Amino acid sequence: MKLDGYESLIKNISLELMHYLIGQGAHQEIAEDVIQDVFVKILKMDIILPPNEIRPYVYRLARNQYVDQYRRQARFKKLLQVYLIPAAKQPRSTINGPQNNRLAKVLRKLNDKDRQLLKLKYLNNQSVDQIASQTNKSPAAVKMRLYRIRKKLRKALGDESNE
């Protein structure tokens, strides 16, 4: 098989996936992350799928990856609402457990700027560009800071699988 043709097939599929995920309700930023994760997984498999098998396989991976990410985001947002909103404004919560207690401790240890970034991104649903303009930082700096905060939270919760 010619690799030039395979590369163009992959490029076309990635564009199709972008439209598919956005059509399913994903923001462009999330769709890009999902597509990147899917192709990283394919590269790690160390095999080349035949052209007639790659499209359904990639779509299935992308859909599963998007659903997983959506669930993580929903749970993360719920936890942030519980632990970042002052206690007087919080509704009674049923989120308990040792892992959530660890998260609460880590969130309390974050500096005010990091907590504010989390609130803007996950509670106010602002884009990285909006946050960058509000904080007078570059979008790349905001993305990196959010990445480092999430990494710190994952480490505190003992989840190193999504590096």
Side-chain angles (χ1 to χ4, degrees), residues 70-99:
Y70 179 82
R71 287 179 183 152
R72 276 193 304 272
Q73 291 288 80
R75 182 174 182 271
F76 189 60
K77 185 174 180 176
K78 188 174 183 179
L79 290 170
L80 288 177
Q81 286 174 334
V82 169
Y83 294 116
L84 287 180
I85 297 174
K89 294 182 183 179
Q90 286 183 18
R92 289 228 179 246
S93 174
T94 59
I95 299 177
N96 292 317
Q99 194 170 30

mmCIF file of all heavy atoms in Angstrom, residues 70-99:
data_model
loop_
_atom_site.group_PDB
_atom_site.id
_atom_site.type_symbol
_atom_site.label_atom_id
_atom_site.label_comp_id
_atom_site.label_asym_id
_atom_site.label_seq_id
_atom_site.Cartn_x
_atom_site.Cartn_y
_atom_site.Cartn_z
ATOM 1 N N TYR A 70 -17.127 13.374 27.586
ATOM 2 C CA TYR A 70 -18.321 14.087 28.023
ATOM 3 C C TYR A 70 -18.684 13.696 29.458
ATOM 4 O O TYR A 70 -19.000 14.549 30.277
ATOM 5 C CB TYR A 70 -19.483 13.773 27.074
ATOM 6 C CG TYR A 70 -20.769 14.448 27.475
ATOM 7 C CD1 TYR A 70 -20.999 15.771 27.131
ATOM 8 C CD2 TYR A 70 -21.751 13.771 28.198
ATOM 9 C CE1 TYR A 70 -22.168 16.409 27.503
ATOM 10 C CE2 TYR A 70 -22.917 14.392 28.576
ATOM 11 C CZ TYR A 70 -23.127 15.711 28.222
ATOM 12 O OH TYR A 70 -24.282 16.338 28.602
ATOM 13 N N ARG A 71 -18.622 12.412 29.755
ATOM 14 C CA ARG A 71 -18.936 11.944 31.117
ATOM 15 C C ARG A 71 -17.935 12.478 32.135
ATOM 16 O O ARG A 71 -18.331 12.895 33.229
ATOM 17 C CB ARG A 71 -18.951 10.418 31.151
ATOM 18 C CG ARG A 71 -20.150 9.834 30.473
ATOM 19 C CD ARG A 71 -20.118 8.325 30.517
ATOM 20 N NE ARG A 71 -21.249 7.770 29.788
ATOM 21 C CZ ARG A 71 -21.252 6.600 29.201
ATOM 22 N NH1 ARG A 71 -20.184 5.815 29.274
ATOM 23 N NH2 ARG A 71 -22.304 6.179 28.558
ATOM 24 N N ARG A 72 -16.649 12.458 31.768
ATOM 25 C CA ARG A 72 -15.632 12.993 32.681
ATOM 26 C C ARG A 72 -15.872 14.482 32.936
ATOM 27 O O ARG A 72 -15.779 14.949 34.066
ATOM 28 C CB ARG A 72 -14.233 12.791 32.106
ATOM 29 C CG ARG A 72 -13.628 11.442 32.381
ATOM 30 C CD ARG A 72 -12.135 11.411 32.071
ATOM 31 N NE ARG A 72 -11.811 11.803 30.715
ATOM 32 C CZ ARG A 72 -11.757 10.990 29.682
ATOM 33 N NH1 ARG A 72 -12.007 9.716 29.835
ATOM 34 N NH2 ARG A 72 -11.454 11.442 28.478
ATOM 35 N N GLN A 73 -16.176 15.213 31.855
ATOM 36 C CA GLN A 73 -16.402 16.658 31.988
ATOM 37 C C GLN A 73 -17.615 16.931 32.877
ATOM 38 O O GLN A 73 -17.587 17.836 33.697
ATOM 39 C CB GLN A 73 -16.614 17.303 30.620
ATOM 40 C CG GLN A 73 -15.384 17.338 29.759
ATOM 41 C CD GLN A 73 -14.371 18.328 30.240
ATOM 42 O OE1 GLN A 73 -13.626 18.041 31.168
ATOM 43 N NE2 GLN A 73 -14.337 19.470 29.634
ATOM 44 N N ALA A 74 -18.687 16.165 32.684
ATOM 45 C CA ALA A 74 -19.899 16.364 33.482
ATOM 46 C C ALA A 74 -19.614 16.100 34.960
ATOM 47 O O ALA A 74 -20.028 16.865 35.832
ATOM 48 C CB ALA A 74 -21.019 15.464 32.979
ATOM 49 N N ARG A 75 -18.903 15.027 35.243
ATOM 50 C CA ARG A 75 -18.569 14.692 36.635
ATOM 51 C C ARG A 75 -17.627 15.746 37.204
ATOM 52 O O ARG A 75 -17.796 16.197 38.341
ATOM 53 C CB ARG A 75 -17.921 13.314 36.712
ATOM 54 C CG ARG A 75 -17.602 12.898 38.132
ATOM 55 C CD ARG A 75 -17.102 11.454 38.195
ATOM 56 N NE ARG A 75 -16.849 11.076 39.545
ATOM 57 C CZ ARG A 75 -15.679 11.243 40.163
ATOM 58 N NH1 ARG A 75 -14.670 11.776 39.525
ATOM 59 N NH2 ARG A 75 -15.521 10.869 41.416
ATOM 60 N N PHE A 76 -16.643 16.164 36.413
ATOM 61 C CA PHE A 76 -15.685 17.170 36.844
ATOM 62 C C PHE A 76 -16.400 18.478 37.160
ATOM 63 O O PHE A 76 -16.150 19.114 38.178
ATOM 64 C CB PHE A 76 -14.637 17.357 35.751
ATOM 65 C CG PHE A 76 -13.462 18.208 36.138
ATOM 66 C CD1 PHE A 76 -12.647 17.859 37.198
ATOM 67 C CD2 PHE A 76 -13.152 19.353 35.424
ATOM 68 C CE1 PHE A 76 -11.552 18.631 37.547
ATOM 69 C CE2 PHE A 76 -12.064 20.132 35.755
ATOM 70 C CZ PHE A 76 -11.262 19.773 36.822
ATOM 71 N N LYS A 77 -17.322 18.873 36.290
ATOM 72 C CA LYS A 77 -18.072 20.115 36.505
ATOM 73 C C LYS A 77 -18.891 20.035 37.789
ATOM 74 O O LYS A 77 -18.927 20.979 38.571
ATOM 75 C CB LYS A 77 -18.985 20.389 35.307
ATOM 76 C CG LYS A 77 -19.703 21.704 35.387
ATOM 77 C CD LYS A 77 -20.471 21.988 34.123
ATOM 78 C CE LYS A 77 -21.177 23.325 34.224
ATOM 79 N NZ LYS A 77 -21.855 23.671 32.982
ATOM 80 N N LYS A 78 -19.517 18.898 38.018
ATOM 81 C CA LYS A 78 -20.319 18.722 39.228
ATOM 82 C C LYS A 78 -19.444 18.821 40.482
ATOM 83 O O LYS A 78 -19.802 19.495 41.450
ATOM 84 C CB LYS A 78 -21.034 17.376 39.183
ATOM 85 C CG LYS A 78 -22.028 17.161 40.275
ATOM 86 C CD LYS A 78 -22.792 15.862 40.046
ATOM 87 C CE LYS A 78 -23.858 15.676 41.101
ATOM 88 N NZ LYS A 78 -24.615 14.440 40.878
ATOM 89 N N LEU A 79 -18.284 18.191 40.443
ATOM 90 C CA LEU A 79 -17.364 18.259 41.580
ATOM 91 C C LEU A 79 -16.860 19.679 41.797
ATOM 92 O O LEU A 79 -16.754 20.143 42.932
ATOM 93 C CB LEU A 79 -16.197 17.296 41.374
ATOM 94 C CG LEU A 79 -16.533 15.813 41.463
ATOM 95 C CD1 LEU A 79 -15.348 14.970 41.006
ATOM 96 C CD2 LEU A 79 -16.947 15.435 42.868
ATOM 97 N N LEU A 80 -16.541 20.372 40.702
ATOM 98 C CA LEU A 80 -16.073 21.752 40.842
ATOM 99 C C LEU A 80 -17.158 22.643 41.439
ATOM 100 O O LEU A 80 -16.869 23.519 42.254
ATOM 101 C CB LEU A 80 -15.620 22.308 39.495
ATOM 102 C CG LEU A 80 -14.315 21.743 38.949
ATOM 103 C CD1 LEU A 80 -14.026 22.339 37.580
ATOM 104 C CD2 LEU A 80 -13.163 22.005 39.892
ATOM 105 N N GLN A 81 -18.393 22.436 41.031
ATOM 106 C CA GLN A 81 -19.482 23.226 41.599
ATOM 107 C C GLN A 81 -19.567 23.018 43.101
ATOM 108 O O GLN A 81 -19.762 23.956 43.859
ATOM 109 C CB GLN A 81 -20.814 22.862 40.945
ATOM 110 C CG GLN A 81 -20.964 23.398 39.558
ATOM 111 C CD GLN A 81 -22.220 22.903 38.877
ATOM 112 O OE1 GLN A 81 -22.740 21.841 39.203
ATOM 113 N NE2 GLN A 81 -22.695 23.661 37.919
ATOM 114 N N VAL A 82 -19.387 21.790 43.528
ATOM 115 C CA VAL A 82 -19.476 21.486 44.953
ATOM 116 C C VAL A 82 -18.312 22.100 45.722
ATOM 117 O O VAL A 82 -18.500 22.689 46.778
ATOM 118 C CB VAL A 82 -19.520 19.952 45.177
ATOM 119 C CG1 VAL A 82 -19.352 19.608 46.641
ATOM 120 C CG2 VAL A 82 -20.830 19.399 44.648
ATOM 121 N N TYR A 83 -17.096 21.997 45.168
ATOM 122 C CA TYR A 83 -15.919 22.381 45.937
ATOM 123 C C TYR A 83 -15.388 23.776 45.651
ATOM 124 O O TYR A 83 -14.575 24.277 46.416
ATOM 125 C CB TYR A 83 -14.814 21.350 45.729
ATOM 126 C CG TYR A 83 -15.193 20.004 46.299
ATOM 127 C CD1 TYR A 83 -15.354 18.902 45.473
ATOM 128 C CD2 TYR A 83 -15.413 19.836 47.653
ATOM 129 C CE1 TYR A 83 -15.715 17.671 45.990
ATOM 130 C CE2 TYR A 83 -15.781 18.611 48.169
ATOM 131 C CZ TYR A 83 -15.928 17.529 47.343
ATOM 132 O OH TYR A 83 -16.291 16.317 47.859
ATOM 133 N N LEU A 84 -15.829 24.419 44.581
ATOM 134 C CA LEU A 84 -15.323 25.766 44.299
ATOM 135 C C LEU A 84 -16.317 26.866 44.651
ATOM 136 O O LEU A 84 -15.930 28.009 44.815
ATOM 137 C CB LEU A 84 -14.939 25.900 42.822
ATOM 138 C CG LEU A 84 -13.666 25.182 42.389
ATOM 139 C CD1 LEU A 84 -13.417 25.408 40.909
ATOM 140 C CD2 LEU A 84 -12.462 25.629 43.190
ATOM 141 N N ILE A 85 -17.582 26.533 44.735
ATOM 142 C CA ILE A 85 -18.582 27.534 45.090
ATOM 143 C C ILE A 85 -18.632 27.613 46.614
ATOM 144 O O ILE A 85 -18.663 26.582 47.275
ATOM 145 C CB ILE A 85 -19.964 27.166 44.510
ATOM 146 C CG1 ILE A 85 -19.884 27.165 42.979
ATOM 147 C CG2 ILE A 85 -21.044 28.109 45.004
ATOM 148 C CD1 ILE A 85 -21.140 26.682 42.297
ATOM 149 N N PRO A 86 -18.628 28.824 47.166
ATOM 150 C CA PRO A 86 -18.668 28.939 48.625
ATOM 151 C C PRO A 86 -19.834 28.153 49.220
ATOM 152 O O PRO A 86 -20.893 28.019 48.617
ATOM 153 C CB PRO A 86 -18.855 30.445 48.859
ATOM 154 C CG PRO A 86 -18.325 31.076 47.621
ATOM 155 C CD PRO A 86 -18.589 30.104 46.499
ATOM 156 N N ALA A 87 -19.615 27.623 50.410
ATOM 157 C CA ALA A 87 -20.575 26.718 51.050
ATOM 158 C C ALA A 87 -21.975 27.321 51.166
ATOM 159 O O ALA A 87 -22.971 26.616 51.049
ATOM 160 C CB ALA A 87 -20.072 26.314 52.430
ATOM 161 N N ALA A 88 -22.081 28.632 51.394
ATOM 162 C CA ALA A 88 -23.398 29.252 51.555
ATOM 163 C C ALA A 88 -24.217 29.176 50.267
ATOM 164 O O ALA A 88 -25.440 29.145 50.303
ATOM 165 C CB ALA A 88 -23.244 30.708 51.973
ATOM 166 N N LYS A 89 -23.567 29.138 49.110
ATOM 167 C CA LYS A 89 -24.270 29.114 47.831
ATOM 168 C C LYS A 89 -24.523 27.707 47.334
ATOM 169 O O LYS A 89 -25.205 27.512 46.344
ATOM 170 C CB LYS A 89 -23.447 29.862 46.771
ATOM 171 C CG LYS A 89 -23.316 31.334 47.022
ATOM 172 C CD LYS A 89 -22.530 31.966 45.900
ATOM 173 C CE LYS A 89 -22.303 33.445 46.142
ATOM 174 N NZ LYS A 89 -21.531 34.043 45.066
ATOM 175 N N GLN A 90 -23.943 26.707 47.997
ATOM 176 C CA GLN A 90 -24.044 25.337 47.510
ATOM 177 C C GLN A 90 -25.352 24.691 47.928
ATOM 178 O O GLN A 90 -25.769 24.810 49.071
ATOM 179 C CB GLN A 90 -22.924 24.473 48.084
ATOM 180 C CG GLN A 90 -21.594 24.721 47.494
ATOM 181 C CD GLN A 90 -20.574 23.763 48.098
ATOM 182 O OE1 GLN A 90 -20.924 22.758 48.667
ATOM 183 N NE2 GLN A 90 -19.318 24.119 47.952
ATOM 184 N N PRO A 91 -25.987 23.978 47.004
ATOM 185 C CA PRO A 91 -27.106 23.146 47.407
ATOM 186 C C PRO A 91 -26.550 21.924 48.129
ATOM 187 O O PRO A 91 -25.388 21.590 47.997
ATOM 188 C CB PRO A 91 -27.744 22.733 46.075
ATOM 189 C CG PRO A 91 -26.645 22.855 45.080
ATOM 190 C CD PRO A 91 -25.734 23.935 45.588
ATOM 191 N N ARG A 92 -27.385 21.280 48.906
ATOM 192 C CA ARG A 92 -26.946 20.044 49.565
ATOM 193 C C ARG A 92 -26.500 19.054 48.502
ATOM 194 O O ARG A 92 -27.178 18.841 47.517
ATOM 195 C CB ARG A 92 -28.072 19.454 50.388
ATOM 196 C CG ARG A 92 -28.376 20.259 51.617
ATOM 197 C CD ARG A 92 -28.444 19.302 52.789
ATOM 198 N NE ARG A 92 -28.719 20.040 53.989
ATOM 199 C CZ ARG A 92 -27.832 20.138 54.969
ATOM 200 N NH1 ARG A 92 -26.678 19.540 54.872
ATOM 201 N NH2 ARG A 92 -28.128 20.802 56.040
ATOM 202 N N SER A 93 -25.360 18.465 48.727
ATOM 203 C CA SER A 93 -24.798 17.571 47.724
ATOM 204 C C SER A 93 -24.742 16.147 48.237
ATOM 205 O O SER A 93 -24.592 15.907 49.421
ATOM 206 C CB SER A 93 -23.392 18.025 47.365
ATOM 207 O OG SER A 93 -22.807 17.097 46.499
ATOM 208 N N THR A 94 -24.847 15.228 47.298
ATOM 209 C CA THR A 94 -24.735 13.823 47.649
ATOM 210 C C THR A 94 -23.377 13.273 47.220
ATOM 211 O O THR A 94 -23.166 12.075 47.249
ATOM 212 C CB THR A 94 -25.840 13.007 46.948
ATOM 213 O OG1 THR A 94 -25.709 13.187 45.540
ATOM 214 C CG2 THR A 94 -27.209 13.444 47.404
ATOM 215 N N ILE A 95 -22.472 14.162 46.828
ATOM 216 C CA ILE A 95 -21.153 13.715 46.401
ATOM 217 C C ILE A 95 -20.295 13.523 47.645
ATOM 218 O O ILE A 95 -19.923 14.476 48.300
ATOM 219 C CB ILE A 95 -20.489 14.733 45.446
ATOM 220 C CG1 ILE A 95 -21.339 14.910 44.208
ATOM 221 C CG2 ILE A 95 -19.091 14.286 45.095
ATOM 222 C CD1 ILE A 95 -20.805 15.935 43.255
ATOM 223 N N ASN A 96 -20.007 12.304 47.959
ATOM 224 C CA ASN A 96 -19.178 11.977 49.110
ATOM 225 C C ASN A 96 -18.196 10.900 48.715
ATOM 226 O O ASN A 96 -18.306 10.314 47.658
ATOM 227 C CB ASN A 96 -20.040 11.492 50.279
ATOM 228 C CG ASN A 96 -20.900 12.599 50.843
ATOM 229 O OD1 ASN A 96 -20.439 13.710 51.012
ATOM 230 N ND2 ASN A 96 -22.146 12.285 51.107
ATOM 231 N N GLY A 97 -17.282 10.627 49.593
ATOM 232 C CA GLY A 97 -16.337 9.554 49.338
ATOM 233 C C GLY A 97 -14.919 10.027 49.502
ATOM 234 O O GLY A 97 -14.643 11.221 49.447
ATOM 235 N N PRO A 98 -14.005 9.076 49.704
ATOM 236 C CA PRO A 98 -12.614 9.449 49.951
ATOM 237 C C PRO A 98 -11.955 10.157 48.778
ATOM 238 O O PRO A 98 -11.169 11.081 48.960
ATOM 239 C CB PRO A 98 -11.928 8.108 50.236
ATOM 240 C CG PRO A 98 -12.845 7.063 49.702
ATOM 241 C CD PRO A 98 -14.226 7.652 49.734
ATOM 242 N N GLN A 99 -12.299 9.765 47.551
ATOM 243 C CA GLN A 99 -11.690 10.397 46.382
ATOM 244 C C GLN A 99 -12.144 11.857 46.285
ATOM 245 O O GLN A 99 -11.353 12.741 45.981
ATOM 246 C CB GLN A 99 -12.063 9.637 45.116
ATOM 247 C CG GLN A 99 -11.212 10.021 43.943
ATOM 248 C CD GLN A 99 -11.414 9.101 42.767
ATOM 249 O OE1 GLN A 99 -12.492 8.561 42.587
ATOM 250 N NE2 GLN A 99 -10.387 8.923 41.973
#
